[in-house]
Amino acid sequence: MKIKKTELKENIDSIWEISTFSKECFGYAFYFHKPETEDESEFLNESRDFKFIRHILWRMTIIELSKLFSNSKNDVYNLNHFINKLKRNQSFGDIGILEEKIQNWEKILLDNQKLIKNVLNLRNKVYAHKDRKNDDLKLLDIRFKEIEILINLSEEIITEIHSVAFDSDVRFKAIYFNKDRFNLIKILAEEKKNRRNRVKKGNLG
């Protein structure tokens, strides 16, 4: 049992690391695509640098999530494979995860097959083979709220494993992104607006 728990801990920690990184990238990507003010939106849409940065952040979100939701053997920590190992008579079957929990997770995966397929297609057919500098949200029907479904599922599995197998609580706190603290775009947008106003006043004078 000790060996199995050690292996389980290594598995779930790797899943947690991937999930956390994807969530951080998603937080920034969401903000850069949907900032809080029109001035910030205008600034971002006029900036080649930040348009490229938000594309990279979105791309990394997709790539990292693909590691968790792929069925490929190359993606060692994919959740399909991991959930299957939690079933009775499987590697982690005696850990004690309820069958109802496993069935619910499998249902969520099944209900979101179209979304998962789109995420994987976006990684495999676009990001893995082309150096695209434009945003690819329109390429496939993927919405930010849908991406949150996948992130939430990974966090639910992590929480349940830690609770049942290790008798510990899990709290998911952002390591980097905090929209209340991240005011860089707001500052830059305000400065650009003020600069334009100064130019207009100068011209009027």
Side-chain angles (χ1 to χ4, degrees):
M1 175 64 78
K2 185 176 180 180
I3 295 176
K4 284 187 177 181
K5 279 202 170 185
T6 300
E7 183 183 350
L8 177 64
K9 186 69 164 56
E10 291 174 353
N11 275 242
I12 202 63
D13 282 353
S14 295
I15 290 170
W16 193 347
E17 182 179 349
I18 296 169
S19 178
T20 298
F21 188 63
S22 66
K23 186 175 183 178
E24 292 284 355
C25 290
F26 174 77
Y28 283 105
F30 182 84
Y31 185 85
F32 283 145
H33 280 94
K34 297 180 179 295
E36 295 184 347
T37 68
E38 289 186 10
D39 287 339
E40 290 173 79
S41 181
E42 180 182 351
F43 172 81
L44 287 168
N45 288 327
E46 290 179 354
S47 170
R48 293 179 61 191
D49 296 315
F50 280 106
K51 285 173 73 174
F52 179 74
I53 290 169
R54 75 181 180 187
H55 164 75
I56 294 301
L57 289 164
W58 172 253
R59 176 188 289 212
M60 289 308 301
T61 301
I62 295 298
I63 290 174
E64 292 302 307
L65 282 178
S66 295
K67 296 176 183 178
L68 295 180
F69 292 92
S70 165
N71 280 317
S72 172
K73 293 181 180 179
N74 294 327
D75 293 310
V76 181
Y77 300 109
N78 76 76
L79 293 178
N80 283 287
H81 181 59
F82 181 74
I83 290 172
N84 190 61
K85 290 166 71 174
L86 298 172
K87 295 178 180 179
R88 294 174 185 173
N89 301 320
Q90 298 298 322
S91 301
F92 305 133
D94 56 354
I95 296 299
I97 303 299
L98 295 176
E99 287 294 318
E100 290 81 0
K101 281 284 184 182
I102 296 174
Q103 290 171 6
N104 182 58
W105 294 337
E106 289 181 326
K107 184 179 185 303
I108 293 174
L109 289 174
L110 185 62
D111 290 345
N112 289 280
Q113 275 304 298
K114 181 181 178 181
L115 168 61
I116 293 170
K117 182 179 178 180
N118 282 345
V119 167
L120 297 178
N121 281 339
L122 190 52
R123 179 192 67 172
N124 297 333
K125 296 183 179 181
V126 180
Y127 297 152
H129 301 291
K130 296 181 181 179
D131 184 17
R132 299 176 63 93
K133 295 184 179 181
N134 60 312
D135 293 325
D136 294 293
L137 290 174
K138 295 180 181 178
L139 185 67
L140 292 167
D141 187 21
I142 299 176
R143 297 178 176 84
F144 284 112
K145 287 295 182 183
E146 292 178 315
I147 291 298
E148 288 183 318
I149 293 173
L150 302 184
I151 294 173
N152 290 340
L153 174 60
S154 66
E155 290 185 343
E156 182 181 330
I157 293 172
I158 293 166
T159 300
E160 186 68 13
I161 295 298
H162 272 269
S163 175
V164 174
F166 305 108
D167 192 27
S168 61
D169 294 328
V170 171
R171 294 184 181 181
F172 298 98
K173 292 184 178 180
I175 300 173
Y176 300 108
F177 182 72
N178 182 332
K179 69 177 183 178
D180 296 325
R181 176 184 57 80
F182 184 70
N183 58 1
L184 173 63
I185 306 303
K186 181 180 180 180
I187 292 171
L188 292 174
E190 288 179 351
E191 173 56 28
K192 186 170 184 176
K193 184 178 180 180
N194 291 336
R195 189 165 64 247
R196 284 178 175 174
N197 289 336
R198 288 196 297 269
V199 170
K200 287 180 180 179
K201 288 180 180 178
N203 290 337
L204 290 174

